[in-house]
Amino acid sequence: MPTDSDTPLHLCLLGDATSPHVQRWAREMLARNYRVSVITARPAVIDGVVVKELTPVRRSAQWLLRVGEARRHVAALAPDILHAHYITSYGYLAARCGRHPLVMTAWGSDLLVTAQANPWMRWLTGWILRQADLITGDSGSLVTAAQHFHPRCPVHEIHWGVDRARFCPTPWAQKPGVDLVSLRAWEANYNIDTIVGAVALLRTRLAPLDVRLHLLGGGSMEQALRNLARSSGVEESVVFHGRLDDAGMARVLSNAKVSVSVPTSDATSVAMLESMASGLAVVATRLQANAHWIDRQWLVPPRDPRALADILKKLITTDGLAEQVGMQNASRIASDGDRSVQMDRMHALYQRLKNAR
């Protein structure tokens, strides 16, 4: 969809250029005839996008020291719209730049965890949000969290959506064995150790059924998780793929039957939506963002491997159940989770902001 002007609007994103979410956002807006640039402390090549680098940030306090660089880049680029991804880092830089219209997108932990760390962070987060002309979040819980800071602008729920041309169901009969998959990062919040523990229980309960767990995502806990798989006796049943591109993710999902996402804290997970679009049954933690998408019978407490193993066993051993749930999930994404629809909504919001000035 082209913009409503003969001259493409220049959209400048502040965010992690290595993130697939930022990269997808940039590509979606390029496809809608925007000129796109990115200001980032973690640079990456994005075709068609001008990337401006900030000095790397190794500690949270260093964001305070990147204001001058961010201001210089913004002034040189002179974008029509400035859009920061992640409130308590790039959102802070954008707020200090004084450029409008200013859009901010909350990602989850920025408002649900970091902003709640202490009174100073709560005050700073509120100040950041009050500089915005538009705020988005990808779940009702994030919208509510943002509204608690009393921003002066509208807050919209815009989720990342799914590329349904890439993530789509494959015939169930072609799926080998019983493959489970997790697409979440190997970091503490995502409780990958709980999933490994559940698989260890399943291997005992369902022997000789060949249950395999595919771990995508990568992260700092890789060695600890490998050690856990070894000590739990499931080393040969856990496949550590690490980070894969969309094509690699789709390939693993095409062979899997159940996707597991059990973080302690989360907004709407793109990984969960991509699993649903691929026709997988999904088991997730009892969080508001998950309950919006997943039937409550498939939600479990965080860090409870026995409860997780019980739900997985039901899906694995009840004839046709996982396939039925997976098809329901794919249908839900087809009606509510298409990325192009969400990005069209964002395009309309950008246009409204620009036309109002």
Side-chain angles (χ1 to χ4, degrees):
M1 177 187 295
T3 59
D4 301 329
S5 169
D6 293 336
T7 303
L9 288 180
H10 180 184
L11 171 67
C12 179
L13 304 175
L14 279 81
D16 179 354
T18 69
S19 165
H21 301 324
V22 170
Q23 293 179 10
R24 289 165 180 166
W25 199 289
R27 293 188 188 107
E28 289 289 339
M29 293 309 153
L30 283 173
R32 287 161 177 77
N33 198 36
Y34 286 76
R35 185 158 63 96
V36 181
S37 57
V38 176
I39 298 172
T40 182
R42 298 186 67 185
V45 175
I46 308 173
D47 289 345
V49 175
V50 173
V51 177
K52 297 294 185 181
E53 298 182 28
L54 300 172
T55 302
V57 173
R58 295 181 174 85
R59 296 186 304 276
S60 296
Q62 290 180 333
W63 290 109
L64 303 175
L65 306 177
R66 303 294 179 261
V67 172
E69 291 179 62
R71 282 176 171 168
R72 287 191 291 274
H73 285 314
V74 169
L77 291 167
D80 296 300
I81 300 172
L82 192 62
H83 186 162
H85 283 265
Y86 208 91
I87 303 301
T88 51
S89 54
Y90 291 102
Y92 169 76
L93 295 183
R96 292 290 305 275
C97 286
R99 184 90 184 184
H100 296 275
L102 173 57
V103 182
M104 295 188 185
T105 290
W107 279 37
S109 296
D110 46 0
L111 293 191
L112 302 178
V113 179
T114 306
Q116 311 301 328
N118 54 58
W120 157 248
M121 280 307 305
R122 286 193 291 275
W123 178 87
L124 181 62
T125 302
W127 179 83
I128 293 169
L129 290 173
R130 286 190 291 275
Q131 312 314 304
D133 301 298
L134 173 70
I135 299 167
T136 77
D138 68 358
S139 68
S141 58
L142 271 185
V143 169
T144 300
Q147 290 170 335
H148 283 163
F149 288 94
H150 306 293
R152 302 183 178 118
C153 66
V155 184
H156 289 266
E157 182 175 344
I158 303 284
H159 60 77
W160 305 96
V162 178
D163 179 357
R164 293 179 54 242
R166 186 179 295 278
F167 296 97
C168 54
T170 55
W172 206 257
Q174 296 180 10
K175 297 176 182 287
V178 181
D179 282 14
L180 314 177
V181 63
S182 165
L183 306 180
R184 310 313 301 272
W186 306 343
E187 305 295 345
N189 180 63
Y190 298 102
N191 300 322
I192 308 300
D193 56 338
T194 298
I195 305 175
V196 173
V199 168
L201 292 172
L202 283 175
R203 293 284 294 181
T204 300
R205 297 178 187 180
L206 300 180
L209 194 64
D210 185 21
V211 178
R212 292 190 174 274
L213 172 64
H214 297 263
L215 295 178
L216 284 62
S220 64
M221 296 183 67
E222 177 175 356
Q223 193 56 55
L225 291 169
R226 288 185 181 275
N227 293 341
L228 176 62
R230 188 179 305 113
S231 64
S232 301
V234 293
E235 183 177 16
E236 295 183 357
S237 301
V238 181
V239 183
F240 289 83
H241 293 273
R243 290 195 175 196
L244 298 179
D245 60 15
D246 282 359
M249 290 169 56
R251 185 170 57 251
V252 174
L253 288 169
S254 70
N255 290 324
K257 294 182 176 178
V258 182
S259 179
V260 186
S261 176
V262 290
T264 299
S265 174
D266 210 7
T268 298
S269 162
V270 178
M272 183 177 73
L273 301 186
E274 289 170 342
S275 297
M276 294 173 68
S278 299
L280 276 64
V282 176
V283 179
T285 29
R286 290 174 185 158
L287 299 173
Q288 179 182 344
N290 293 339
H292 178 74
W293 295 95
I294 303 296
D295 190 288
R296 291 186 179 274
Q297 66 178 310
W298 311 121
L299 301 180
V300 297
R303 302 206 57 76
D304 190 338
R306 291 190 178 278
L308 178 56
D310 289 343
I311 293 293
L312 292 173
K313 181 181 177 182
K314 179 178 180 180
L315 284 167
I316 291 169
T317 59
T318 305
D319 187 44
L321 181 58
E323 181 179 9
Q324 175 187 340
V325 173
M327 291 303 99
Q328 291 171 348
N329 286 341
S331 178
R332 175 69 191 280
I333 295 300
S335 62
D336 298 329
D338 192 293
R339 180 179 300 156
S340 64
V341 173
Q342 294 297 310
M343 293 298 101
D344 283 347
R345 290 183 60 209
M346 196 66 226
H347 161 75
L349 290 171
Y350 282 151
Q351 294 292 319
R352 192 182 309 166
L353 270 180
K354 186 58 183 174
N355 293 337
R357 299 197 71 81

